[in-house]
Amino acid sequence: MSKPLIRLEGVKKAYHTAAGDFLALRGIDLEIEAGEFVALLGRSGAGKSTLINLLTGIDRPTEGDVMIDGQEIHRMSEAQITRWRGRQVGVIFQSFQLMPMLTCAQNVMLPMDFANLYRTPKAQYARALELLAAVEIREHADKLPNAVSGGQRQRVAIARAMANDPIFIA
């Protein structure tokens, strides 16, 4: 029997506020196998974004263990988790987080450059075009994000999340 790709054990997350501690997650246990598609549903304030931030290493749990592909990411240093996230995780941000001064293709190329993958600009550009074609917006590769629609910006963000062949996308 294989180990799950993602495993959370007893995960709690508290935020300290002037009004007192707010417990966003209260003892989450979760296992996700490789290849599974998972959707998080819940009302506003239910902890969906908090959970995603923990899975991607953007935030750390107050208590509990977060293991991705056998690695205890909650125990990694900031430098280690930054390298890990850049190579292992594709993040699609709610507001896309595209760089407005870079073309759509350059936005897709950015994580490749950070992770030192597809080493030449020509190889990175070719990979970006391949991914933009996969999300059906290849023809917008050389446009700036403000020159395309919101839905097309979302597709650029999806292509960027896939740029480094991550083990999972959040």
Side-chain angles (χ1 to χ4, degrees):
M1 184 148 170
S2 66
K3 290 185 178 182
L5 177 64
I6 296 171
R7 190 171 85 225
L8 279 67
E9 293 179 355
V11 171
K12 294 181 182 179
K13 179 63 183 178
Y15 292 102
H16 306 291
T17 69
D21 285 354
F22 170 73
L23 197 57
L25 298 176
R26 306 166 191 260
I28 302 294
D29 293 319
L30 174 67
E31 289 189 354
I32 301 173
E33 299 293 328
E36 275 191 281
F37 287 85
V38 177
L40 298 176
L41 303 173
R43 61 177 172 66
S44 180
K48 300 179 299 293
S49 293
T50 298
L51 181 58
I52 289 172
N53 287 343
L54 294 176
L55 292 174
T56 58
I58 292 170
D59 203 355
R60 300 193 185 250
T62 306
E63 289 182 32
D65 298 322
V66 179
M67 288 152 290
I68 311 290
D69 200 23
Q71 297 184 63
E72 296 178 318
I73 67 164
H74 60 288
R75 298 195 193 284
M76 292 180 180
S77 70
E78 284 303 315
Q80 289 171 321
I81 206 151
T82 298
R83 279 190 303 276
W84 171 83
R85 185 184 314 111
R87 185 61 190 97
Q88 302 296 325
V89 182
V91 181
I92 305 169
F93 294 96
Q94 205 166 4
S95 58
F96 315 134
Q97 303 293 351
L98 299 177
M99 301 297 290
M101 73 295 283
L102 299 179
T103 66
C104 293
Q106 289 168 331
N107 269 282
V108 176
M109 293 164 62
L110 203 56
M112 296 178 224
D113 196 41
F114 288 151
N116 203 22
L117 294 174
Y118 303 94
R119 296 193 185 258
T120 68
K122 185 177 180 179
Q124 290 175 349
Y125 187 72
R127 172 74 173 148
L129 293 181
E130 174 187 312
L131 292 167
L132 290 169
V135 295
E136 300 179 349
I137 58 165
R138 160 62 185 91
E139 67 276 12
H140 300 297
D142 297 318
K143 294 180 182 175
L144 294 174
N146 67 0
V148 300
S149 73
Q152 290 164 333
R153 285 192 292 270
Q154 186 173 39
R155 289 171 185 237
V156 173
I158 292 167
R160 182 186 57 197
M162 297 186 310
N164 292 344
D165 296 314
I167 59 174
F168 77 99
I169 296 175

